[in-house]
């Protein structure tokens, strides 16, 4: 992959149109890597949800009191990824929704009410938000 990016960067010197449409390939590559990381987190979340749905609900439960917070956090994270800007209201709302999910999850966890699914999803959402913020901090 890197060889292709380097080859493209080298070949642009012979392309007169490239002077009109100069791009920062390093920034584009960083953005691509960030999107790839987010995609991996989303795939992980999909697998967790599929396991929770298709196995016995007693084996992988989502505690009854956390469905709304989980739904709110997931929707908010989706909106934050869509804007891809850590300085937006969508990003702040997503951070707060995930934080509230974690607080509620930690206070409701017990041997009778495990929070494995919600905890895994919350961790993935935190990683997604951190990726968006980290990419925004890059020069």
């Amino acid at each position: 992959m890197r060889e292709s990016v380097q080859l493209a960067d080298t070949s642009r010197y012979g392309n007169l149109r490239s002077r009109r449409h100069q791009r920062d390939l390093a920034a584009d590559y960083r953005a691509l890597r960030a999107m790839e990381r987010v995609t991996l987190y989303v795939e992980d979340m999909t697998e967790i949800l599929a396991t929770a749905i298709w196995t016995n609900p007693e084996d992988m439960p989502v505690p009854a009191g956390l469905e709304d917070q989980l739904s709110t956090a997931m929707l908010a994270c989706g909106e934050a990824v869509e804007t891809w800007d850590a300085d937006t209201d969508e990003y702040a709302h997503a951070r707060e929704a995930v934080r509230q999910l974690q607080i509620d999850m930690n206070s409701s966890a017990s041997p009778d009410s495990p929070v494995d699914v919600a905890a895994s999803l919350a961790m993935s959402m935190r990683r997604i938000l951190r990726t968006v913020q980290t990419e925004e901090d890059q020069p």
Side-chain angles (χ1 to χ4, degrees), residues 13-34:
Y13 292 111
N15 184 349
L16 297 176
R17 287 176 289 159
S18 72
R19 291 191 178 104
R20 279 187 279 151
H21 306 289
Q22 287 188 348
R23 303 277 312 191
D24 182 357
L25 292 181
D28 290 348
Y29 186 73
R30 281 192 312 273
L32 180 63
R33 294 289 297 169

Side-chain angles (χ1 to χ4, degrees), residues 78-94:
E79 290 173 4
V81 168
E82 214 171 292
T83 62
W84 202 272
D85 185 353
D87 295 327
T88 62
D89 290 338
E90 289 86 352
Y91 183 85
H93 178 64

Side-chain angles (χ1 to χ4, degrees), residues 49-63:
L49 287 170
T51 302
I53 291 169
W54 296 111
T55 61
N56 187 354
E58 288 79 34
D59 293 338
M60 298 283 293
V62 174

